[in-house]
């Protein structure tokens, strides 16, 4: 059609001006076709994205929510950006010859938004492919997924999810080609030509930046993983290569400390690292304080004085017990539950989120030492190996990633921390308000409810001061009056003058001699006691003394075969230990062969 339109003016006029007009018409036609391809494919692409994000995702209910978030990533953000972009593209249809220039300006306007949206999706693409591969290991699940996709997007074919996931990557890489096609069909002297050139270069730069961002994220994901390794596993990972790297780093660090080589300084990163350090320190301190607060709250909930029978008449005390019981059963447990869910758990998540950047910062220091060593080698030798060049690129990727993302992370962490603190204050205020509401009825019946707050505070302080003074006076008087416990001998009259003794004496059969009984009757120091008669098995019970006595015999007496006692039987020596431990009865015990005399 274009050739036919070109030949007709030529045959009519046959002049150079006519040929020039035909050539311009041809350029204009091809340009309009390239622009139409851009707009039509953009509309088709946006429709496919909407099918993925809305129809297909809503039907894949058999997949976990975490898997869906990885598979479709930030597709909704891409839809928002491309919807506005398509709308502006379609509005250029009515602008005639200015359309190409407007399209170039439009790409320049959306350059940053397109890069921000697509770099996140591209960075997560590999992880999404791993999930797709794992689904293929489960035939039943794969069959269900494939059936859902074919029902919504028949053109997906057997590729299924892989066909849908790669569409955004294909689109962002196709933008420079579409712009290049429009540029090729634009006259060099047209006003739209330099604008389209800048737009084409800008979209190529967008793709380069996305690839670089993807590489940085891969490096970051490699070093942010924290593996809980045992000592044996750590030792198993040590080889000649790791020892060489660590030795080189240590040598480089020692040379820097000694001033033999200069240390590379990065003021921008140092400021960001310092801010991150303070955020991390605040989070750690707050987490420890909240943990202590929760422990104290748990101990407070276990202490329930209102459940004890204090033998206090009803009245204000009864009202207090009812109020305290009500708070212990409902208000305080509810406050503890909200505190754990709205403060403690987000605080733990924030502390966990800090672990990744902390590991990256530590790893950056190692890579910086490698980079400085390689820079010295590059100056001396003029070249480095492929592995060494990769090490240089690794440091540059880590440093660029941290410099680009630490400011955003620090800001988000501060906002997160501030929200946690505000939530904690709000919970405290709600608890106080709830307690006051529940206590209103009881407070009106208290004797001091009409006092103003300053007067009531003064009253409480006076009562506490007076009570504290009374307790100190009681303690001082008690320490003055009560003598310290002292040991007392058994036989002096001062010790035996008491008529109250407590013990039980279990006598063996061979101890039934009159001499022993007479001696024991004298030992009890009870003049009014009647003479005791011997008995084969008997026990003597008398009144408890002030200090119970633990009595031990000085020698071991073995019962003999004779029926009666020997003529010279005498009371064996005994020893006593005074022990004011209790007022329970104590027993004479037959012990040992050696004499012990303890007072």
């Amino acid at each position: 059609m274009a050739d036919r339109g070109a030949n007709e003016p030529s045959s009519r006029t046959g002049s150079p001006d006519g040929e020039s007009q035909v050539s311009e018409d041809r350029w204009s036609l091809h340009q309009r076709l390239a622009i139409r391809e851009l707009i039509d494919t953009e509309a088709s692409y946006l429709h496919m994205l909407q099918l993925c994000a809305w129809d297909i995702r809503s039907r894949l209910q058999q997949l976990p929510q975490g898997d869906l978030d990885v598979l479709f990533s930030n597709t909704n953000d891409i839809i928002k950006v491309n919807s506005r972009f398509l709308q502006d593209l379609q509005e250029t249809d009515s602008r005639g010859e200015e359309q190409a220039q407007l399209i170039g300006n439009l790409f320049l306007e959306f350059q940053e938004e397109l890069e921000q949206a697509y770099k996140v999706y591209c960075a997560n693409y590999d992880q999404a492919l791993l999930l797709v591969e794992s689904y293929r290991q489960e035939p039943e699940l794969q069959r269900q997924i494939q059936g859902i996709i074919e029902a919504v997007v028949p053109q997906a074919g057997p590729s299924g999810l892989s066909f849908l996931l790669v569409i955004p990557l294909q689109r962002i890489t196709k933008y420079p080609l579409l712009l290049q096609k429009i540029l090729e069909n634009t006259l060099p002297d047209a006003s739209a030509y330099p604008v389209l050139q800048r737009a084409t270069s800008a979209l190529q730069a967008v793709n380069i930046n996305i690839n670089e961002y993807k590489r940085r994220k891969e490096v970051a994901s490699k070093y942010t993983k924290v593996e809980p390794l045992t000592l044996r596993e750590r030792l198993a990972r040590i080889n000649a290569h790791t020892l060489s790297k660590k030795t080189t780093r240590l040598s480089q660090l020692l040379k820097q400390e000694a001033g033999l080589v200069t240390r590379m300084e990065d003021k921008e990163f140092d400021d960001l690292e310092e801010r991150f350090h303070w955020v991390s320190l605040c989070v750690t301190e707050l987490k420890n304080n909240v943990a202590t607060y929760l422990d104290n709250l748990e101990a407070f909930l276990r202490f329930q004085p209102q459940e004890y029978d204090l033998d206090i008449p009803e009245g204000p005390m009864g009202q207090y017990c009812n109020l305290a019981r009500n708070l212990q059963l409902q208000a305080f447990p509810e406050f503890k539950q909200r505190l754990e869910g709205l403060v403690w758990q987000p605080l733990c998540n924030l502390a966990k989120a800090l672990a990744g950047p902390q590991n990256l910062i530590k790893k950056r220091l190692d890579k910086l030492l490698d980079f400085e060593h390689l820079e010295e080698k590059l100056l001396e030798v003029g070249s480095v190996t492929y592995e060494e060049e990769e090490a240089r690129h690794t440091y540059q990727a880590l440093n660029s990633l941290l410099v680009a993302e630490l400011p955003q992370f620090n800001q988000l962490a501060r906002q997160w921390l501030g929200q946690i603190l505000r939530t904690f204050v709000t919970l405290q205020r709600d608890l106080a308000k709830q307690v006051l509401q529940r206590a209103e009825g009881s407070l009106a019946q208290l004797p001091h409810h009409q006092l103003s707050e300053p007067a009531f505070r003064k009253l409480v302080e006076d009562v506490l001061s007076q009570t504290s003074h009374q307790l100190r006076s009681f303690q001082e008087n008690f320490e003055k009056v009560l003598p310290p416990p002292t040991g007392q001998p058994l036989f002096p009259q001062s010790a035996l003058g008491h008529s109250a003794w407590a013990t039980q004496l279990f006598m063996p059969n061979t101890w039934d001699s009159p001499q022993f009984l007479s001696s024991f009757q004298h030992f009890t120091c009870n003049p009014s006691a009647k003479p005791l008669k011997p008995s084969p098995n008997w026990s003597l019970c008398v009144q408890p003394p002030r200090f119970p006595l633990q009595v031990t015999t000085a020698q071991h007496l073995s019962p003999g075969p004779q029926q009666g006692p020997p003529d010279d039987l005498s009371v064996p020596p005994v020893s006593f230990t005074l022990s004011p431990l209790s007022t329970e009865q104590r027993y004479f015990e037959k012990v040992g062969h050696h004499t012990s005399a303890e007072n």
Side-chain angles (χ1 to χ4, degrees):
M1 182 184 300
D3 293 339
R4 189 165 56 248
N7 292 331
E8 289 175 357
S10 178
S11 62
R12 269 197 319 266
T13 62
S15 63
D17 293 340
E19 293 178 359
S20 176
Q21 183 64 36
V22 170
S23 177
E24 290 181 6
D25 291 343
R26 185 184 300 115
W27 283 82
S28 178
L29 176 61
H30 287 296
Q31 185 188 73
R32 287 196 301 271
L33 291 175
I35 291 175
R36 177 50 51 191
E37 180 184 2
L38 169 64
I39 297 176
D40 291 344
T41 55
E42 183 69 18
S44 176
Y45 163 69
L46 184 60
H47 176 66
M48 186 67 67
L49 278 184
Q50 293 170 344
L51 289 178
C52 293
W54 299 340
D55 292 358
I56 295 178
R57 178 168 182 167
S58 62
R59 299 189 184 191
L60 293 175
Q61 298 297 326
Q62 61 270 45
L63 298 180
Q65 184 62 36
D67 288 10
L68 293 176
D69 293 339
V70 173
L71 289 173
F72 297 96
S73 188
N74 64 327
T75 308
N76 290 329
D77 296 336
I78 296 177
I79 290 175
K80 293 178 182 178
V81 174
N82 282 83
S83 296
R84 292 189 292 107
F85 180 67
L86 176 61
Q87 183 179 356
D88 292 346
L89 278 178
Q90 292 172 341
E91 290 178 356
T92 63
D93 276 340
S94 60
R95 302 302 294 269
E97 295 180 357
E98 299 178 359
Q99 185 178 16
Q101 183 175 350
L102 292 175
I103 289 176
N105 290 328
L106 195 60
F107 271 101
L108 293 174
E109 179 184 345
F110 277 85
Q111 174 187 356
E112 185 176 352
E113 290 188 67
L114 290 172
E115 179 178 336
Q116 293 299 324
Y118 280 88
K119 73 179 184 180
V120 175
Y121 185 91
C122 294
N124 296 330
Y125 176 71
D126 291 340
Q127 190 176 359
L129 289 183
L130 292 177
L131 281 178
V132 173
E133 188 64 28
S134 66
Y135 298 152
R136 291 174 180 169
Q137 307 302 322
E138 304 178 26
E140 180 62 24
L141 178 61
Q142 175 65 17
R143 185 185 63 79
Q144 296 176 6
I145 296 174
Q146 187 66 26
I148 292 172
I149 294 176
E150 290 180 354
V152 179
V153 187
Q155 62 268 34
S159 300
L161 272 176
S162 300
F163 171 81
L164 299 177
L165 296 178
V166 78
I167 290 177
L169 275 71
Q170 294 175 339
R171 188 60 184 176
I172 192 63
T173 55
K174 194 173 182 181
Y175 282 139
L177 302 178
L178 293 171
L179 282 172
Q180 184 66 32
K181 189 173 183 180
I182 298 174
L183 179 64
E184 291 174 354
N185 292 281
T186 302
L187 293 173
D189 58 349
S191 60
Y193 194 86
V195 178
L196 290 172
Q197 278 185 321
R198 293 199 304 271
T200 304
S201 301
L203 267 294
Q204 290 173 348
V206 165
N207 282 275
I208 293 174
N209 294 339
I210 290 175
N211 289 332
E212 181 64 20
Y213 178 81
K214 186 173 181 293
R215 190 175 73 85
R216 293 175 186 175
K217 295 294 288 185
E218 291 173 352
V219 173
S221 63
K222 174 183 177 181
Y223 293 118
T224 51
K225 295 178 181 179
V226 181
E227 301 181 49
L229 300 177
T230 63
L231 179 60
R232 177 173 297 181
E233 292 172 338
R234 292 179 182 275
L235 293 175
R237 291 192 174 190
I238 297 178
N239 51 39
H241 179 64
T242 58
L243 289 176
S244 175
K245 286 198 304 183
K246 294 184 181 300
T247 303
T248 303
R249 292 170 183 170
L250 180 59
S251 174
Q252 184 71 16
L253 185 61
L254 291 177
K255 287 191 293 184
Q256 291 178 357
E257 294 295 333
L260 300 178
V261 296
T262 58
R263 178 179 300 176
M264 183 180 297
E265 294 184 359
D266 190 339
K267 187 68 167 57
E268 182 181 7
F269 176 80
D270 292 342
D271 293 341
L272 293 173
E273 182 184 10
E274 184 178 2
R275 294 176 186 176
F276 175 81
H277 171 73
W278 283 112
V279 171
S280 178
L281 183 62
C282 291
V283 171
T284 302
E285 289 294 329
L286 181 60
K287 184 180 178 183
N288 294 336
N289 292 336
V290 173
T292 304
Y293 184 91
L294 285 172
D295 293 340
N296 294 337
L297 181 60
E298 186 69 27
F300 171 75
L301 293 177
R302 288 196 301 266
F303 180 67
Q304 301 178 358
Q306 69 275 5
E307 300 299 332
Y308 294 93
D309 186 10
L310 302 178
D311 195 19
I312 299 178
E314 291 295 328
M317 182 56 63
Q319 296 172 7
Y320 164 76
C321 290
N322 293 333
L323 176 62
R325 190 176 295 110
N326 189 0
L327 295 176
Q328 286 276 358
L329 293 177
Q330 187 173 357
F332 291 141
E334 181 182 349
F335 169 74
K336 180 174 180 292
Q337 182 180 2
R338 295 181 66 193
L339 185 67
E340 291 176 344
L342 300 177
V343 174
W344 174 249
Q345 193 59 46
L347 192 58
C348 292
N349 293 338
L350 177 57
K352 189 181 299 183
L354 294 174
Q358 286 173 344
N359 290 337
L360 284 181
I361 291 174
K362 293 178 182 178
K363 184 57 65 174
R364 176 194 174 275
L365 177 60
D366 294 339
K367 298 302 179 182
L368 175 60
L369 294 174
D370 295 341
F371 181 81
E372 292 173 337
H373 173 71
L374 293 175
E375 287 295 305
E376 294 178 5
K377 180 179 179 181
L378 192 60
L379 291 175
E380 295 175 359
V381 181
S383 63
V384 291
T385 63
Y386 175 78
E387 291 79 7
E388 292 173 338
E389 187 65 26
E390 277 296 311
R392 295 178 71 250
H393 290 163
T394 299
Y395 164 73
Q396 292 172 344
L398 272 179
N399 187 71
S400 301
L401 182 66
L402 288 172
V403 170
E405 297 195 356
L406 263 186
Q408 302 176 14
F409 185 87
N410 289 339
Q411 182 180 2
L412 291 175
R414 288 197 300 269
Q415 294 175 356
W416 196 345
L417 186 60
Q419 184 61 41
I420 290 174
L421 289 173
R422 286 190 292 269
T423 303
F424 181 74
V425 173
T426 302
L427 291 179
Q428 293 278 7
R429 185 172 59 245
D430 291 347
L431 176 64
K433 183 178 179 180
Q434 187 177 4
V435 170
L436 288 176
Q437 288 176 349
R438 293 174 181 269
E440 281 181 354
S442 301
L443 289 176
Q445 304 178 27
L446 294 178
H448 306 292
H449 72 280
Q450 295 181 349
L451 293 177
S452 63
E453 183 175 349
F456 183 75
R457 288 180 178 273
K458 183 68 169 56
L459 175 65
V460 172
E461 291 175 358
D462 294 342
V463 172
L464 291 177
S465 177
Q466 181 181 0
T467 305
S468 176
H469 178 71
Q470 291 177 352
L471 287 175
R472 284 196 299 269
S473 300
F474 177 78
Q475 179 183 3
E476 293 173 358
N477 294 335
F478 184 80
E479 292 176 352
K480 291 178 181 178
V481 172
L482 182 65
T486 57
Q488 300 182 8
L490 173 65
F491 291 105
Q493 293 299 322
S494 60
L496 300 179
H498 303 282
S499 60
W501 288 74
T503 185
Q504 279 190 343
L505 178 63
F506 295 94
M507 302 296 296
N509 293 335
T510 56
W511 289 14
D512 53 358
S513 66
Q515 296 91 335
F516 181 80
L517 294 177
S518 176
S519 299
F520 186 79
Q521 181 178 357
H522 175 73
F523 162 76
T524 59
C525 300
N526 190 353
S528 61
K530 297 180 180 180
L532 299 175
K533 296 181 180 180
S535 174
N537 291 300
W538 56 275
S539 64
L540 176 65
C541 299
V542 292
Q543 298 297 324
R546 180 177 180 184
F547 296 99
L549 303 180
Q550 179 182 354
V551 184
T552 57
T553 60
Q555 66 181 27
H556 178 72
L557 300 178
S558 300
Q562 68 272 16
Q563 298 298 325
D567 295 338
D568 59 346
L569 179 64
S570 61
V571 179
V574 294
S575 63
F576 297 85
T577 302
L578 302 182
S579 175
L581 298 178
S582 68
T583 56
E584 298 178 356
Q585 294 182 342
R586 296 292 188 267
Y587 302 104
F588 284 104
E589 297 178 353
K590 184 171 63 176
V591 298
H593 295 282
H594 303 286
T595 302
S596 65
E598 299 180 1
N599 292 331

